[in-house]
């Protein structure tokens, strides 16, 4: 008999790091993690870890021969800045990797006779504001507005959302006995900030980088203008959102892709916040024009009313609490 399992891809990444611990503490089914890299030491032993490539079909086949996967958290992706250096390769990982898993989840759903839950973190990168005037006019974008991504990563996220909806609702719609398909649910996250990890290859990275540099006592040059504004969220809220949406009854959901957000602020305000806790921090601004263009195309804020109404989303951490109770104490401990 196969063992029941929850699969997390990209488990060695930032969201994975916190999600694994949250899932283990809930004592759910066995957790199977997949990543190109080994898990960080602190997370070793919390899951059965497979170090391997999402693109490796034989590996995926082996995985389902051993495990009955009921839930997938598909976190693996190449982030927005990194993807711009190798767009086609990013497409391969971000889109074809997702397609492989959607197909796997579909097959598994059919075997089980009930839908596999497919959780997908999407992003503010799915939006593309044409210029700063329009960005200022639409401070809280709705899910269906301004879906004109300007990065390969954003295009990949938006398209994979659509693929997820397709596999959930329309896959083999012409078949006489339409098979049981998966249950795809996605969250469009703002820039995420973790106290325990630093992101790599993203474009919202200037926020977390500023804070971690200050805690380490090293100078930091932000790659954006001080007036740059995007939304952010503390990592525990991102994990809460994923777990909450995963648990919501399907009947409560009016969409498959939800905005979620916590607080919006400019890079200058971010710096002020960091200075409040680390008064000696040396933070300056030297915009990198290409990365600046990407952040400028992201909305200044998200409207997450649907998530609040349908499944009771509410962030635990506003800006003040995020710094005072989660980020600063944990980061201090980390670099002491
Ligand atoms: N934080 C991500 C990035 O900067 C966006 O989802 O690429």
């Amino acid at each position: 008999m196969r063992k029941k399992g929850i699969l997390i891809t990209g488990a060695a990444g930032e969201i994975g790091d916190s999600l694994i611990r949250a899932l283990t503490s809930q004592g759910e089914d066995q957790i199977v993690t997949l990543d190109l890299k080994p898990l960080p030491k602190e997370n070793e032993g919390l899951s059965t870890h497979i170090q391997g490539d999402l693109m490796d079909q034989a590996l995926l086949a082996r995985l389902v021969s051993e495990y009955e996967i009921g839930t997938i958290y598909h976190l693996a992706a190449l982030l927005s800045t990194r993807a711009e250096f190798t767009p086609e390769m990013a497409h391969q990982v971000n889109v074809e990797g997702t397609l492989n898993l959607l197909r796997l989840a579909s097959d598994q759903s059919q075997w089980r006779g009930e839908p596999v839950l497919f959780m997908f973190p999407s992003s503010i990168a799915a939006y593309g504001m044409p210029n700063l005037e329009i960005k200022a006019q639409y401070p809280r974008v709705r899910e269906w507005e301004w879906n004109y991504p300007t990065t390969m990563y954003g295009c990949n996220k938006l398209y994979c959302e659509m693929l997820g909806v397709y596999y959930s609702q329309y896959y083999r719609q012409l078949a006489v006995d339409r098979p049981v398909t998966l249950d795809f649910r996605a969250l469009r996250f703002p820039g995420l900030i973790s106290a325990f990890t630093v992101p790599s290859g993203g474009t919202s990275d200037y926020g977390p980088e500023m804070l971690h540099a200050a805690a380490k006592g090293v100078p930091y040059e932000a790659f954006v203008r001080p007036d740059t504004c995007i939304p952010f969220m503390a990592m525990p809220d991102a994990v809460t959102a994923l777990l909450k949406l995963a648990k919501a009854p399907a009947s409560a959901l009016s969409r498959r892709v939800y905005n979620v957000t916590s607080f919006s602020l400019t890079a200058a305000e971010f710096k002020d916040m960091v200075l409040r806790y680390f008064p000696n921090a040396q933070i300056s601004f030297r915009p990198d024009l290409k990365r600046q263009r990407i952040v400028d195309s992201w909305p200044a804020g998200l409207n997450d009313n649907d998530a609040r109404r349908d499944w009771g989303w509410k962030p635990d951490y506003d800006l003040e609490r995020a710094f005072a109770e989660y980020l600063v104490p944990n980061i201090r401990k980390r670099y002491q």
Side-chain angles (χ1 to χ4, degrees):
M1 285 303 280
R2 297 186 304 169
K3 293 166 266 191
K4 281 195 185 323
I6 297 178
L7 173 63
I8 309 179
T9 72
E14 279 213 287
I15 302 179
D17 184 73
S18 299
L19 181 66
I20 295 177
R21 276 178 270 148
L23 282 173
T24 352
S25 65
Q26 291 196 343
E28 303 235 6
D29 293 350
Q30 177 151 4
I31 300 170
V32 184
T33 48
L34 175 63
D35 203 293
L36 286 172
K37 297 191 200 140
L39 289 184
K41 280 239 152 17
E42 317 82 78
N43 288 346
E44 275 173 14
L46 298 181
S47 65
T48 304
H49 186 59
I50 303 170
Q51 198 173 332
D53 193 339
L54 188 57
M55 309 303 291
D56 180 346
Q57 299 276 4
L59 186 149
L60 293 185
R62 244 187 358 259
L63 197 98
V64 295
S65 73
E66 259 185 70
Y67 295 94
E68 182 189 325
I69 306 285
T71 303
I72 299 176
Y73 290 88
H74 175 37
L75 313 178
L78 250 69
L79 293 187
S80 55
T81 292
R82 178 156 307 155
E84 288 312 300
F85 290 108
T86 51
E88 291 77 17
M89 152 127 144
H91 186 278
Q92 225 170 51
V93 175
N94 294 351
V95 174
E96 285 170 43
T98 304
L99 187 67
N100 284 346
L101 273 187
L102 286 169
R103 201 171 327 142
L104 178 148
S106 264
D107 290 349
Q108 290 286 297
S109 304
Q110 215 171 325
W111 274 101
R112 285 159 41 104
E114 61 176 301
V116 167
L117 181 60
F118 195 110
M119 299 300 299
F120 184 67
S122 186
S123 160
I124 42 169
Y127 296 102
M129 312 307 288
N131 55 54
L132 291 177
E133 291 70 48
I134 292 185
K135 176 164 168 162
Q137 274 165 34
Y138 291 84
R140 289 180 78 230
V141 297
R142 302 298 309 251
E143 283 85 351
W144 57 88
E145 294 177 314
W146 304 107
N147 290 169
Y148 310 116
T150 68
T151 58
M152 178 53 101
Y153 171 79
C155 293
N156 296 162
K157 286 291 183 190
L158 186 60
Y159 175 58
C160 286
E161 291 174 1
M162 292 174 177
L163 278 181
V165 173
Y166 168 78
Y167 270 90
S168 296
Q169 291 175 206
Y170 309 109
Y171 180 58
R172 303 194 46 197
Q173 54 191 318
L174 298 183
V176 181
D177 292 314
R178 187 168 175 265
V180 176
T181 52
L182 52 100
D183 182 355
F184 176 88
R185 304 178 183 190
L187 287 164
R188 286 200 189 142
F189 282 123
L192 300 179
I193 322 172
S194 169
F196 304 104
T197 53
V198 270
S200 63
T203 321
S204 58
D205 297 8
Y206 61 89
E209 281 173 1
M210 208 185 271
L211 180 58
H212 282 260
K216 277 194 277 193
V218 299
Y220 181 69
E221 203 168 65
F223 54 81
V224 293
R225 291 185 317 269
D227 67 304
T228 306
C229 186
I230 57 165
F232 285 96
M233 180 182 285
M235 191 57 84
D237 272 332
V239 170
T240 303
L242 277 166
L243 297 179
K244 226 170 165 187
L245 178 58
K247 285 223 162 70
S251 58
L253 306 183
S254 61
R255 41 188 328 110
R256 291 198 176 272
V257 178
Y258 286 94
N259 279 348
V260 282
T261 192
S262 297
F263 46 85
S264 291
L265 76 174
T266 64
E269 288 163 341
F270 208 112
K271 174 182 169 179
D272 290 344
M273 224 34 215
V274 172
L275 283 175
R276 197 195 298 172
Y277 293 97
F278 301 98
N280 298 326
Q282 286 170 263
I283 300 165
S284 55
F285 295 90
R286 191 154 71 115
D288 170 286
L289 292 183
K290 295 184 181 126
R291 295 180 97 181
Q292 180 72 60
R293 222 176 12 233
I294 294 176
V295 209
D296 281 344
S297 79
W298 292 350
L302 301 174
N303 180 322
D304 57 6
N305 287 358
D306 283 5
R308 287 171 186 262
R309 184 199 57 220
D310 290 357
W311 46 275
W313 157 248
K314 193 172 167 304
D316 286 327
Y317 295 92
D318 60 10
L319 175 63
E320 292 293 329
R321 230 190 126 203
F323 271 77
E325 293 178 31
Y326 165 66
L327 291 170
V328 173
N330 286 308
I331 288 180
R332 278 218 170 101
K333 237 182 273 159
R334 184 175 169 198
Y335 295 116
Q336 236 161 34

